[in-house]
Amino acid sequence: MQPQFHIMSLCLLLAVGMAEAQGVYNPPADQPSAQPGPATDTFNLPQPKPAASPLGQEIPLLDPAAETIRIGGVTIPLGDHRLLRARFEKFLSQPPESDAAAAQYRQTIAGILDTLSPFHQPAPNLQAAFKLLPRAATYPGDANICSTLAEAVDMAILAKQENARRSKLNDTLEQEKLALRKEADWNARHEKAPGVAPAAAPAGRGGNRGPAVAPGNNPGAGMQSLKYADAVRRIAEIELLKKANLVLIEARTLQTKTQYQANMVQWFILRRFEHVIVAARFYNQLWKDGDAALHLEKGADVDKWFAEGLGVSPTVSSLDSLSNEAISEAGKYIEAFKLMLARDELYSASQRLMEAFVVGEFLDPVATLPLEQKLQVLEYTRTLNECYGTFQARDYTKAKELAERLKTTAKDFPSSKMDAAIAGSTLASDLAIEEAKVHLRAGDQDKAAEKIHIAAEIWPTNPRLAEFRKLIADTGRVVTARNDFDRLLSEGNYREIAKREYELVPVIQGDAKREEAFKQIRTHLATIEAALGKAAEFGKLGQNYAAWEQLAALRAQFPDDPKLGRELELLAPKVADFTKSLDRAQQFENRTPKQTGSALAWYLKARHIYPRSHLAETGIKRLLDDILAEDTPETAGLLRNVRMNRSGLAIDPTAGDPTIAGDSYYRKRLDGRRDRFSQAREDNNRRLSDLTPLA
């Protein structure tokens, strides 16, 4: 029986997706034995493959897929089956189910089992046991399984009653069929049609035999009558109804058994072994036809699980037997746990308690375990899981501290492999750091980087990595700063260079090219900042045009400065009319051929909007120089007129586009105003001569 239970335990653990030694330090053998092929209905973690290491197998190698770590060719589980670990820690931290309600619940379950036992005198009482199920279902720990069982039993009873009704209906139909057949047979032999003489008696010696008619062949009577045909048809209908009722009885029985057995299999997988036993005893009282085989779909996952685990087709009795054995084994595990805990052997005690929890989480010996004993295991398992976490993170300083704590807590803790892994890993990391230092001093930075990368992979939290980092910082700070300066200079990020002035200036001293670049950057930024300051003052006084001109003059020289561009974007909506006039003037000025008159008109309009505009004044002077270069009397007069009377060419800003009339229009206006200006000048000179004697 013991080997059979081991097979059952293996199948059970595969079905629920749990590992028997989860949460404790239980490294497998160095050479793993051949494993059977994975079942298609269970999830099997992939087998870890030995990974090559540049320093040998003494370095821990993490396998994220299998959630294991290989140390010296040995695989140690690291946190696999998180759900089981969470459930186990919840079990360790919750109080025992030893109150009055739990005691009454277990007493009720025992009463149900006793009432349905084949040894109950005078006989098992199905109704009495059924009445106890609602009481057991009220306990929270039952999870309403007894209520589900009661519904399944009730459905089975109703199905049996329906089958009994249909069986009784078949008996009634059979009696009707026999009566019809008897009447039809008699009519076929004796009934005759009216007016037909009975069959003639045989003639005597020498006499003549008269004509005779067989009773069954009389036309309209006997077998030739409609009544006889109706009787035959009714008999056929009765046979069909009986067959249909028999099919319904068999189908309902099979369906009810299948549904009932499905609940039993589900409770068995959920390790509700007491409920499995109760359901098995109800089954034996509900169906006494000897059919106890589980009606599982061929090829289904559950069917494969039972077939591969047990080797035979499962039955209700086999579930009952396996459940009883699981209950017994859980009790033995708890006894072993208490004995080992008393000896301070927490490593083995935690293993036995985990095995008991996996087999019988809801059984009495496990559920009533004292909280004090569970808390000891909880503290140990948390420390052990934290130790596994430090190995996974390769924090060997913390791992060594936790290993020492585990040795103190658990006398039987096997720490030799863990100590060897810590010693080998720390030594390998330190040696790699020393080699990196040698290569760094020799100027071979590539090899130094390779060795320090190996050291960091082996032991990321090695304290000596900080020393190496300081060494690199002392020797590479200047190179890094110079590279940063060159990178920022190539990117045009001049403001970042100015921001890091006190960091970058010391490292570029003595480099004439970099010093000259830095001086230009500082000079240009000072110019930009001065212009931004003036623009800000103009903005405070409401002189947005003056502020915009301060910045626009520098925009062409420093187009990539972000601060300058941002300030211009903020001023753009406020000076849109002014900037539009300047843009149009520049467009006409840059056309081929140049439209001097239109450009001059737009510059004059811009100066009308902002009379102190330097950009407009410069454009006007530039165009006047072009006009002067023509060297004609008209251009000379135009030049004198514009220079002496700045308002003489001012135009109305509301007059629309000044380029509509073209250059000839404005030349005519200039000629007319030249004469008026000359007359005004003579009048002024005359007034001045009249005022001279008075002075």
Side-chain angles (χ1 to χ4, degrees):
M1 181 61 83
Q2 187 68 16
Q4 181 184 4
F5 178 72
H6 289 320
I7 296 176
M8 182 277 297
S9 300
L10 178 59
C11 296
L12 173 63
L13 297 182
L14 289 176
V16 298
M18 299 178 178
E20 189 169 323
Q22 168 61 25
V24 295
Y25 183 80
N26 185 25
D30 292 342
Q31 297 296 334
S33 59
Q35 299 293 331
T40 58
D41 61 327
T42 57
F43 177 79
N44 295 277
L45 292 176
Q47 295 295 327
K49 298 180 180 180
S53 172
L55 301 175
Q57 288 190 345
E58 73 278 1
I59 306 303
L61 300 174
L62 176 65
D63 186 355
E67 295 181 335
T68 59
I69 187 171
R70 288 183 63 83
I71 301 177
V74 178
T75 302
I76 301 175
L78 288 182
D80 50 344
H81 304 295
R82 296 184 181 92
L83 179 60
L84 173 61
R85 185 173 66 183
R87 289 174 64 95
F88 185 60
E89 291 186 358
K90 177 179 72 69
F91 159 74
L92 294 176
S93 60
Q94 67 186 10
E97 299 179 5
S98 57
D99 54 356
Q104 183 180 2
Y105 168 73
R106 292 185 174 84
Q107 183 179 0
T108 304
I109 295 295
I112 295 174
L113 292 173
D114 180 67
T115 305
L116 295 174
S117 173
F119 304 105
H120 185 269
Q121 296 299 329
N125 193 335
L126 177 64
Q127 294 183 355
F130 182 78
K131 293 179 180 179
L132 293 176
L133 289 176
R135 183 193 304 174
T138 58
Y139 181 64
D142 182 77
N144 282 328
I145 295 181
C146 284
S147 178
T148 304
L149 177 58
E151 293 178 1
V153 172
D154 185 56
M155 290 295 295
I157 293 175
L158 293 176
K160 291 188 66 177
Q161 292 176 355
E162 179 64 19
N163 290 343
R165 188 185 67 81
R166 289 194 175 271
S167 297
K168 187 176 180 180
L169 178 60
N170 277 358
D171 294 340
T172 304
L173 292 174
E174 181 67 20
Q175 293 175 5
E176 181 183 355
K177 185 190 75 171
L178 292 176
L180 286 173
R181 188 171 61 184
K182 182 178 179 180
E183 182 181 358
D185 289 345
W186 189 92
N187 290 336
R189 289 193 300 268
H190 301 92
E191 188 178 12
K192 62 181 179 178
V196 178
R205 185 184 296 259
N208 295 326
R209 178 178 298 177
V213 180
N217 295 326
N218 294 332
M223 296 178 62
Q224 302 298 325
S225 66
L226 294 177
K227 182 178 181 181
Y228 182 83
D230 289 341
V232 173
R233 179 178 55 79
R234 178 57 182 168
I235 290 173
E237 290 178 355
I238 290 174
E239 287 297 331
L240 290 176
L241 290 175
K242 287 175 59 180
K243 294 295 183 182
N245 288 334
L246 289 176
V247 171
L248 288 176
I249 290 172
E250 291 297 330
R252 183 174 288 105
T253 301
L254 180 60
Q255 180 183 8
T256 307
K257 285 185 177 181
T258 303
Q259 293 176 351
Y260 192 93
Q261 292 171 359
N263 288 327
M264 293 183 62
V265 173
Q266 180 181 0
W267 296 334
F268 183 80
I269 294 176
L270 293 176
R271 297 165 294 152
R272 294 281 186 170
F273 300 117
E274 291 178 337
H275 294 85
V276 174
I277 297 173
V278 171
R281 295 190 180 180
F282 269 112
Y283 185 93
N284 294 331
Q285 296 301 318
L286 290 170
W287 293 283
K288 299 182 180 181
D289 53 1
D291 180 17
L294 294 181
H295 298 280
L296 302 176
E297 182 181 356
K298 295 299 181 182
D301 294 342
V302 178
D303 181 64
K304 292 179 182 179
W305 179 68
F306 276 109
E308 294 177 3
L310 302 178
V312 295
S313 298
T315 63
V316 174
S317 299
S318 63
L319 291 182
D320 190 329
S321 176
L322 292 174
S323 299
N324 281 304
E325 190 170 356
I327 294 174
S328 175
E329 287 296 323
K332 293 179 181 179
Y333 284 137
I334 293 299
E335 292 178 2
F337 161 74
K338 293 180 178 179
L339 178 61
M340 294 175 181
L341 187 63
R343 298 176 181 175
D344 292 334
E345 298 176 357
L346 271 176
Y347 169 71
S348 300
S350 62
Q351 282 186 322
R352 300 291 82 77
L353 183 58
M354 172 63 76
E355 293 165 356
F357 174 77
V358 170
V359 173
E361 176 183 356
F362 307 102
L363 298 178
D364 186 23
V366 180
T368 58
L369 195 66
L371 181 60
E372 294 77 9
Q373 298 178 356
K374 293 194 294 185
L375 290 179
Q376 296 183 42
V377 179
L378 177 61
E379 182 180 359
Y380 169 78
T381 53
R382 284 180 175 174
T383 305
L384 185 63
N385 291 331
E386 185 180 0
C387 186
Y388 285 159
T390 57
F391 264 91
Q392 189 174 11
R394 298 179 181 141
D395 185 359
Y396 299 114
T397 303
K398 185 67 173 178
K400 185 175 182 180
E401 176 186 346
L402 295 174
E404 294 297 330
R405 189 190 307 174
L406 290 172
K407 293 180 200 177
T408 305
T409 305
K411 295 180 179 179
D412 59 338
F413 178 71
S415 61
S416 57
K417 292 183 180 295
M418 189 175 293
D419 293 339
I422 293 174
S425 301
T426 54
L427 177 61
S429 180
D430 290 342
L431 291 177
I433 292 175
E434 291 299 326
E435 292 181 7
K437 289 181 179 179
V438 172
H439 290 303
L440 185 64
R441 293 190 183 98
D444 193 346
Q445 296 184 358
D446 294 337
K447 289 186 177 180
E450 180 182 353
K451 291 299 180 181
I452 206 65
H453 181 69
I454 294 175
E457 281 188 345
I458 297 173
W459 188 8
T461 58
N462 191 341
R464 300 190 64 181
L465 288 174
E467 301 176 3
F468 188 81
R469 188 182 298 110
K470 186 176 183 299
L471 178 63
I472 293 177
D474 293 340
T475 57
R477 183 175 58 86
V478 175
V479 176
T480 302
R482 285 180 178 177
N483 292 336
D484 289 346
F485 179 84
D486 294 339
R487 176 178 57 81
L488 295 173
L489 186 63
S490 62
E491 294 174 353
N493 195 351
Y494 307 125
R495 291 195 173 272
E496 182 65 20
I497 294 176
K499 182 179 179 181
R500 298 173 58 181
E501 176 181 358
Y502 296 103
E503 175 187 354
L504 299 177
V505 169
V507 301
I508 64 174
Q509 287 182 352
D511 190 331
K513 185 177 180 180
R514 290 188 176 93
E515 286 182 349
E516 181 62 25
F518 182 79
K519 290 179 181 179
Q520 291 182 10
I521 292 171
R522 185 164 54 182
T523 302
H524 292 164
L525 289 179
T527 302
I528 295 173
E529 291 296 330
L532 290 173
K534 291 181 180 179
E537 293 296 329
F538 283 130
K540 293 178 181 179
L541 298 175
Q543 299 181 12
N544 295 323
Y545 299 110
W548 184 87
E549 276 206 348
Q550 285 288 332
L551 304 181
L554 296 176
R555 185 61 172 173
Q557 186 178 0
F558 309 108
D560 298 328
D561 188 73
K563 191 173 181 181
L564 179 61
R566 184 168 58 253
E567 292 297 329
L568 283 172
E569 290 177 358
L570 295 176
L571 288 171
K574 303 176 182 179
V575 296
D577 53 347
F578 177 66
T579 57
K580 177 182 177 182
S581 300
L582 290 177
D583 290 341
R584 294 299 301 274
Q586 292 173 1
Q587 291 175 8
F588 286 114
E589 184 180 1
N590 296 328
R591 284 185 180 180
T592 303
K594 182 186 299 184
Q595 298 184 11
T596 305
S598 299
L600 183 61
W602 279 107
Y603 277 126
L604 291 172
K605 183 174 181 178
R607 193 181 66 178
H608 179 80
I609 296 173
Y610 175 42
R612 301 183 62 183
S613 171
H614 175 72
L615 295 176
E617 185 68 22
T618 303
I620 292 172
K621 289 181 179 180
R622 185 169 57 252
L623 291 176
L624 291 178
D625 291 339
D626 292 342
I627 296 172
L628 182 61
E630 296 180 8
D631 196 16
T632 62
E634 293 181 355
T635 57
L638 175 64
L639 178 62
R640 289 193 301 272
N641 193 359
V642 172
R643 287 180 176 176
M644 298 181 64
N645 186 7
R646 295 295 183 181
S647 62
L649 290 179
I651 63 176
D652 184 4
T654 63
D657 191 343
T659 64
I660 295 177
D663 291 350
S664 59
Y665 170 77
Y666 288 100
R667 290 182 182 272
K668 293 179 180 180
R669 290 187 62 185
L670 290 174
D671 292 340
R673 292 190 178 184
R674 182 182 56 188
D675 298 336
R676 292 195 297 273
F677 176 74
S678 299
Q679 184 65 35
R681 184 176 58 183
E682 293 176 0
D683 294 341
N684 290 336
N685 292 334
R686 186 173 58 255
R687 293 190 183 94
L688 289 174
S689 60
D690 294 340
L691 294 175
T692 301
L694 296 177

